Amino acid sequence: MVLLEYKELELLITRVREISGFDFSGYARPSLLRRASRYLTKHTMNLPELYIHIEQGGKAVYDFIQEMTVNYSEMFRDPDFFISVRSEILTYLESYPAIRLWIAGCASGEEAFSMAILLKEAGLFDRSLIYATDLSERVLSSAREGVFSLGHMRTFSENYMLAEGKNSLSDYYHVAYSKAVMDHNLRKNIVFSLHDLTGDGVFNEFQMVSCRNVMIYFNLEQRRKVFKLLYESLGMFGFLCLGKRETLRYSGFEENFRIINGHLNIYQKIK
Amino acid sequence: MTELNPNPLNLVLMGGSSGSFVIFEQIVKLATRPLSCAVIFVIHRGKSSLANLPHLFKAKTKVRMEEPEHLDPVVNDCIYFAVPDYHLLVGPDARFYLDDTDKDFFSRPSIDATFISAAQSGIKIRAAMLFSGASKDGASGLKLIAEKGFATYVQNPDFAEVPRMPAEAISQYGGHQILNEKNIFEEISSVLYSYST
Ligand SMILES: C[S@@+](CC[C@H](N)C(=O)[O-])C[C@H]1O[C@@H](n2cnc3c(N)ncnc32)[C@H](O)[C@@H]1O
């Protein structure tokens, strides 16, 4: 086991920024330390070797950044969240002539496709536009392809059933070369694009912003800034959805939202 | 002259897996008076475990119990339980950090994750302890804590319901103090209520 110290981590963050332009300074240090240590252990490297490796720039440093930011996702992850979106948010949004949703930190598109299916089953898809953003070009390009492994699809199907989906998940994809390819029709109203929550600003006004399992990566100060961005991106009475263990606590915006579901961390902007 | 904080934050860390739940329950019962430390329990539990441990143990102690949220401050006189499906890290800023990095030894929360983060946080660790369990999780974290000069304890594998976890800790590091069946709770009680400087 190779363990990095906090002092070493700070130097590494600086060097990564110089080489790649990617800035980890707003990220939670304890998690970064854990991940960097695991990276070294996994690749049987010590710190000097890591420096030599990332000095190559390009793919080497990019892969390192990728491993330091978790990209794990599932379709219909936390199925009860989707049940709640259906009953508490979509019923409200029904009255809107046009619905704009933002999935911030969308990984390979799992959540965006789930939302598309949910909207479709609620009969709202045709007047909805889903913006799905991430800072990783790599996960975005895989999201644009809409291709998932069949192994993962099995978990996703279970989630879909638990989320009380109306059909079978397999109604929304076809199998080609042993992969699941999401229907093109679903892709039609999803825009995948690059957006860095720590650097880029407001780009539209939304009725719903879902930023799940992303906040957990940021430190207190950065988190406040990201909350400000999400708050400003929401129209009045718009909904904010966070991950299972992500609350508004310490956000600075506790007063601006009312709780729709305290367990699933769904909030509505009220001022 | 600098005023010394009469009661600086210090941690007591407890890790365990199968067979540890009953011990944890007994330990919680030992907390009969306010604690001059923060006690952090990490027990392996399934991803969808809904059991809320503070709730389950409510009748056993008057000391405050919490399942910490991301960024909650770590304070003395509180008993914390790691939530399922996240690692619970202690930061140098004396806050908790939930972390969703891969599992260690098929476990999230992992005991090593908490122990190692605490050891690296620079916060004083009064004691760290490892109990019954079927995995190797916790052993390297406990070793690191011992190497930093803090007190470490391991349940005697001979009376652990599942000996693997404490046995692994002992095999990785010979210097842990051993908790034996006859006085385990007296020892733990004296750790909880020692006013070490
Ligand atoms: C664990 S995934 C969450 C995916 C999905 N929202 C879910 O809940 O399953 C976190 C994603 O956040 C992205 N991310 C991390 N930092 C980001 C930033 N500063 N701006 C935008 N996305 C970021 C990562 O690239 C990753 O794809």
Side-chain angles (χ1 to χ4, degrees):
Chain A
M1 195 172 51
V2 191
L3 286 182
L4 224 62
E5 298 286 333
Y6 279 108
K7 279 200 299 276
E8 296 169 327
L9 179 65
E10 293 310 317
L11 297 174
L12 182 60
I13 289 171
T14 306
R15 195 66 196 122
V16 168
R17 187 175 53 228
E18 287 163 0
I19 298 170
S20 72
F22 187 78
D23 191 0
F24 275 113
S25 41
Y27 285 66
R29 294 302 187 271
S31 292
L32 285 183
L33 194 68
R34 172 175 158 80
R35 282 190 217 127
S37 300
R38 286 175 69 89
Y39 182 94
L40 294 176
T41 307
K42 180 173 155 201
H43 297 274
T44 51
M45 275 183 192
N46 56 31
L47 190 57
E49 286 165 343
L50 175 63
Y51 272 104
I52 293 169
H53 180 69
I54 62 174
E55 295 294 342
Q56 302 167 55
K59 186 172 172 333
V61 67
Y62 196 84
D63 284 345
F64 172 73
I65 294 168
Q66 186 89 14
E67 280 198 46
M68 295 290 283
T69 53
V70 177
N71 297 121
Y72 183 79
S73 189
E74 290 172 12
M75 281 191 205
F76 295 95
R77 179 182 195 174
D78 306 322
D80 32 345
F81 166 74
F82 288 90
I83 294 178
S84 185
V85 169
R86 189 188 289 119
S87 65
E88 282 160 304
I89 301 184
L90 297 191
T91 48
Y92 186 94
L93 296 181
E94 252 166 22
S95 58
Y96 286 65
I99 304 169
R100 277 185 309 275
L101 293 85
W102 178 20
I103 315 281
C106 67
S108 308
E110 293 85 345
E111 196 181 343
F113 284 112
S114 312
M115 209 57 85
I117 292 171
L118 211 63
L119 287 162
K120 205 166 191 79
E121 295 183 358
L124 302 173
F125 187 61
D126 291 334
R127 51 181 146 125
S128 303
L129 196 50
I130 300 173
Y131 288 81
T133 62
D134 204 281
L135 60 61
S136 158
E137 187 51 64
R138 185 173 311 180
V139 295
L140 283 171
S141 73
S142 123
R144 284 188 197 106
E145 282 171 18
V147 174
F148 299 93
S149 89
L150 288 177
H152 289 150
M153 232 48 202
R154 213 163 306 136
T155 315
F156 301 170
S157 289
E158 276 167 33
N159 288 348
Y160 173 78
M161 261 148 59
L162 291 171
E164 298 169 4
K166 283 189 180 157
N167 306 308
S168 153
L169 191 57
S170 59
D171 294 345
Y172 297 102
Y173 65 86
H174 65 272
V175 178
Y177 304 104
S178 317
K179 297 264 188 196
V181 185
M182 300 310 291
D183 282 353
H184 231 78
N185 186 19
L186 287 178
R187 275 288 335 268
K188 175 170 92 182
N189 296 357
I190 308 177
V191 181
F192 288 106
S193 60
L194 212 54
H195 182 277
D196 178 358
L197 288 164
T198 68
D200 297 330
V202 175
F203 62 95
N204 211 327
E205 190 183 284
F206 298 94
Q207 281 82 50
M208 169 177 167
V209 175
S210 180
C211 185
R212 297 169 67 221
N213 306 297
V214 184
M215 281 298 175
I216 209 166
Y217 302 126
F218 302 130
N219 66 21
L220 202 61
E221 199 189 334
Q222 184 66 61
R223 196 171 162 276
R224 283 206 187 101
K225 290 185 194 155
V226 176
F227 268 115
K228 180 164 184 286
L229 169 66
L230 301 184
Y231 169 78
E232 289 173 353
S233 301
L234 274 170
M236 190 53 73
F237 304 118
F239 296 90
L240 176 65
C241 306
L242 305 174
K244 197 169 55 174
R245 289 282 171 186
E246 296 168 328
T247 67
L248 276 186
R249 220 188 271 192
Y250 316 117
S251 69
F253 290 89
E254 295 89 326
E255 302 298 313
N256 300 81
F257 289 90
R258 78 182 176 100
I259 299 173
I260 297 294
N261 188 317
H263 173 63
L264 298 165
N265 300 317
I266 300 178
Y267 304 91
Q268 185 175 32
K269 175 169 169 174
I270 50 166
K271 66 178 175 200
Chain B
M1 210 180 91
T2 48
E3 189 89 14
L4 272 182
N5 184 342
N7 199 359
L9 176 63
N10 64 119
L11 312 174
V12 174
L13 309 169
M14 312 267 187
S17 188
S18 29
S20 282
F21 189 84
V22 283
I23 301 175
F24 283 10
E25 191 172 8
Q26 292 302 316
I27 295 173
V28 168
K29 273 202 223 164
L30 297 173
T32 49
R33 292 172 284 127
L35 292 163
S36 60
C37 55
V39 182
I40 303 171
F41 284 98
V42 183
I43 189 160
H44 290 164
R45 49 207 288 210
K47 168 178 177 169
S48 48
S49 160
L50 290 177
N52 177 303
L53 297 181
H55 194 76
L56 264 175
F57 291 153
K58 208 168 62 192
K60 316 265 179 222
T61 180
K62 287 204 167 58
V63 173
R64 185 157 71 96
M65 290 184 285
E66 299 267 352
E67 290 189 327
E69 298 274 342
H70 192 51
L71 298 172
D72 278 352
V74 189
V75 297
N76 284 342
D77 197 20
C78 189
I79 299 175
Y80 298 99
F81 298 93
V83 298
D85 209 27
Y86 290 87
H87 300 298
L88 181 65
L89 309 182
V90 176
D93 55 356
R95 286 180 187 273
F96 284 111
Y97 287 80
L98 297 187
D99 176 88
D100 66 353
T101 320
D102 297 345
K103 298 176 176 182
D104 279 342
F105 302 103
F106 307 105
S107 299
R108 199 170 50 207
S110 106
I111 300 165
D112 272 338
T114 303
F115 281 15
I116 292 170
S117 71
Q120 295 197 292
S121 71
I123 298 168
K124 185 185 154 85
I125 299 174
R126 185 186 292 180
M129 307 186 183
L130 200 59
F131 302 93
S132 167
S135 100
K136 292 184 171 182
D137 188 21
S140 53
L142 198 68
K143 177 171 178 233
L144 180 68
I145 292 172
E147 287 168 350
K148 297 242 175 197
F150 299 119
T152 49
Y153 298 80
V154 175
Q155 182 181 14
N156 187 337
D158 292 342
F159 93 93
E161 196 178 308
V162 186
R164 177 111 189 259
M165 188 176 275
E168 177 65 23
I170 294 166
S171 87
Q172 283 194 24
Y173 184 84
H176 301 306
Q177 300 178 59
I178 303 298
L179 294 165
N180 288 302
E181 188 165 14
K182 66 176 194 323
N183 60 356
I184 177 168
F185 295 112
E186 283 90 324
E187 290 230 19
I188 295 174
S189 180
S190 73
V191 169
L192 292 179
Y193 288 104
S194 70
Y195 288 80
S196 53
T197 44

